[in-house]
Amino acid sequence: MELNYYAEMAVRLVNTEEPDRGRDTLTGADVVRELFGANAQMARRVTDADVPRLRGVRTRLRAVFGAAAEGDQERAVDLLNSLLMDFPASPQISGHDFLDDEGRPRWHMHLAEHSANATAGYAASACMGLAFHLTDLGVDRLGVCQAGPCRNAYLDTSTNRSRRYCSDRCATRANVAAYRARKRLESRESPESRESPAGAESRGSTSGRTEPSTHLATDETER
């Protein structure tokens, strides 16, 4: 089964919305068709009614990623199980599109498309792919970008489970922000910055009083 492809369908749907920025790109049937990618057969079934339907699925999928990112594994699994119940998949053995060097089919698992509408088909594939990804690699492999205000979902496929951001762009932005924060902290903690303004004014005032007293002494000597 093309696990990565199906699981990425869940990521693509969730990331059509940026809630902290107030952005939503899931605005019409054409956008929904683009989500299906190479699956032209299912994309042809898309209607305007699939926009609100998929928005509902998106909200539920974001909750799965959110629970996983917070370390609440049982809640993430419960939420995904609920989606699997509402959008059942029909796995079948397929091979007609993949032939070996001798022209024989390369048999693999495929999710058949016998759903009532395009949303149900998309949700069934996305949720099944996400379920296989979760059970094979772990709940903690489902993440939410930590470079606020971005809250994009991602699948962590790193060897050491170290991924924290949805993209290289967000990783760079977060690293730059952390570097600047460290520099500001170092500046505040330096000896020059710790000197109080009152102390500096006190030294300036003392210097100003000393000079007039010297002039007075000189005047008295001359007289």
Side-chain angles (χ1 to χ4, degrees), residues 73-123:
Q73 296 195 10
E74 290 188 2
R75 176 167 172 75
V77 169
D78 287 344
L79 291 171
L80 186 51
N81 275 335
S82 178
L83 281 162
L84 290 169
M85 290 289 291
D86 291 343
F87 301 101
S90 302
Q92 291 183 347
I93 300 173
S94 177
H96 51 84
D97 294 329
F98 301 92
L99 304 179
D100 61 20
D101 295 337
E102 298 179 2
R104 294 174 301 188
R106 293 180 178 176
W107 302 113
H108 62 279
M109 292 299 295
H110 177 75
L111 296 182
E113 296 157 359
H114 304 308
S115 52
N117 52 62
T119 294
Y122 192 98

Side-chain angles (χ1 to χ4, degrees), residues 11-26 55 58-60 62 149-153:
V11 174
R12 289 203 304 272
L13 177 57
V14 170
N15 292 347
T16 59
E17 181 187 32
E18 297 181 76
D20 288 358
R21 290 179 170 134
R23 298 175 185 172
D24 186 353
T25 61
L26 191 59
R55 283 176 176 169
R58 180 182 64 188
T59 299
R60 297 173 67 180
R62 178 171 287 280
C150 180
R151 299 294 293 166
N152 278 352

Side-chain angles (χ1 to χ4, degrees), residues 177 179-189:
Y179 172 79
R180 290 175 177 172
R182 287 196 303 271
K183 286 299 182 181
R184 286 194 296 269
L185 182 60
E186 291 171 1
S187 177
R188 288 196 296 267
E189 292 179 347

